[in-house]
Amino acid sequence: HIHFKKGIEVGNTFKLGTKYSSSLGLNYLDENNELKPVVMGSYGIGVERMIAAVVEQNHDDKGIIWPMNIAPYKVCIVLISNKDEKQKQIAEQIYTELQNMGIETILDDRDERPGVKFNDMDLIGIPLRITVGKKVEEGLIELKQRKETESELNCAQFFVIYAFIAFNFFAKLDFFLAAVFFTITPFVQA
């Protein structure tokens, strides 16, 4: 039975024949011990095509949803107010700690409305968004996975454990130790 399915071309092959092997004198001995030109072929996998295929398979009406293992950034930190020193301090501290742990992170500290920042981060498709806003005074930050519609508030000093589990970085012992140290270091001093 023949079944038709949708597919995405990410590479291609070409039969080159003996055109190049003949001109180069590239031969082999056949079973009769006679020289014959090698029948050549080539293949190519297009990086651009692969990225396009990933985006085609992982998107919604808001933009790209990068799979964690190929996302250009794993985490985006959205700072709600540049004018609030506490928010700025916490956002920068989270950013620095994640960078130090080897997690590709982007800090959105533009002077834009929160909705603009959220929409831009959804469009780009970064897997995990951390929002640092006025709730930081209560020791809370907001976590949102790009593939989910709802966000959740978490205690600022425990968010790395959630990120740590989500990223499956268990293989790196040094990352694990850094994450444990980071989580027991409180952001909000009482």
Side-chain angles (χ1 to χ4, degrees):
H1 296 312
I2 295 177
H3 299 279
F4 291 93
K5 300 276 183 176
K6 283 188 174 182
I8 301 171
E9 181 183 343
V10 294
N12 41 39
T13 59
F14 300 100
K15 182 177 178 185
L16 301 173
T18 59
K19 177 180 178 179
Y20 298 107
S21 57
S22 293
S23 65
L24 294 171
L26 179 61
N27 299 304
Y28 70 97
L29 289 174
D30 70 4
E31 67 273 2
N32 298 321
N33 217 18
E34 294 180 25
L35 282 176
K36 302 280 180 154
V38 171
V39 177
M40 296 177 68
S42 71
Y43 67 92
I45 298 175
V47 175
E48 297 88 358
R49 290 178 184 215
M50 290 175 57
I51 291 171
V54 168
V55 171
E56 187 175 321
Q57 297 295 309
N58 297 281
H59 71 280
D60 61 16
D61 60 334
K62 295 178 183 177
I64 301 169
I65 304 173
W66 286 110
M68 186 64 73
N69 57 344
I70 62 169
Y73 293 97
K74 310 298 186 213
V75 178
C76 65
I77 300 167
V78 175
L79 172 60
I80 298 298
S81 174
N82 279 326
K83 296 175 179 86
D84 185 304
E85 284 304 314
K86 187 70 165 184
Q87 289 180 33
K88 194 172 179 180
Q89 174 206 351
I90 299 301
E92 288 173 356
Q93 185 177 355
I94 294 169
Y95 174 80
T96 300
E97 292 289 342
L98 289 174
Q99 289 287 94
N100 289 341
M101 287 185 233
I103 299 174
E104 294 92 352
T105 306
I106 187 170
L107 173 61
D108 189 349
D109 58 358
R110 297 175 294 160
D111 190 21
E112 287 285 353
R113 296 183 326 273
V116 170
K117 293 180 181 185
F118 295 157
N119 287 339
D120 286 350
M121 292 305 119
D122 282 347
L123 180 65
I124 294 169
I126 299 170
L128 181 64
R129 184 182 79 211
I130 298 170
T131 303
V132 179
K134 60 185 172 183
K135 291 274 187 185
V136 81
E137 291 298 329
E138 301 169 36
L140 297 173
I141 58 172
E142 181 181 284
L143 292 174
K144 182 184 177 294
Q145 290 185 41
R146 172 61 181 90
K147 61 185 175 183
E148 302 295 329
T149 56
E150 299 296 317
S151 62
E152 56 184 74
L153 288 174
N154 279 289
C155 185
Q157 66 248 36
F158 294 117
F159 91 94
V160 171
I161 291 297
Y162 292 123
F164 174 69
I165 292 167
F167 300 150
N168 296 313
F169 281 133
F170 289 107
K172 290 187 175 181
L173 181 59
D174 56 337
F175 178 84
F176 176 76
L177 294 174
V180 170
F181 173 76
F182 185 50
T183 25
I184 60 175
T185 306
F187 286 112
V188 181
Q189 302 294 326

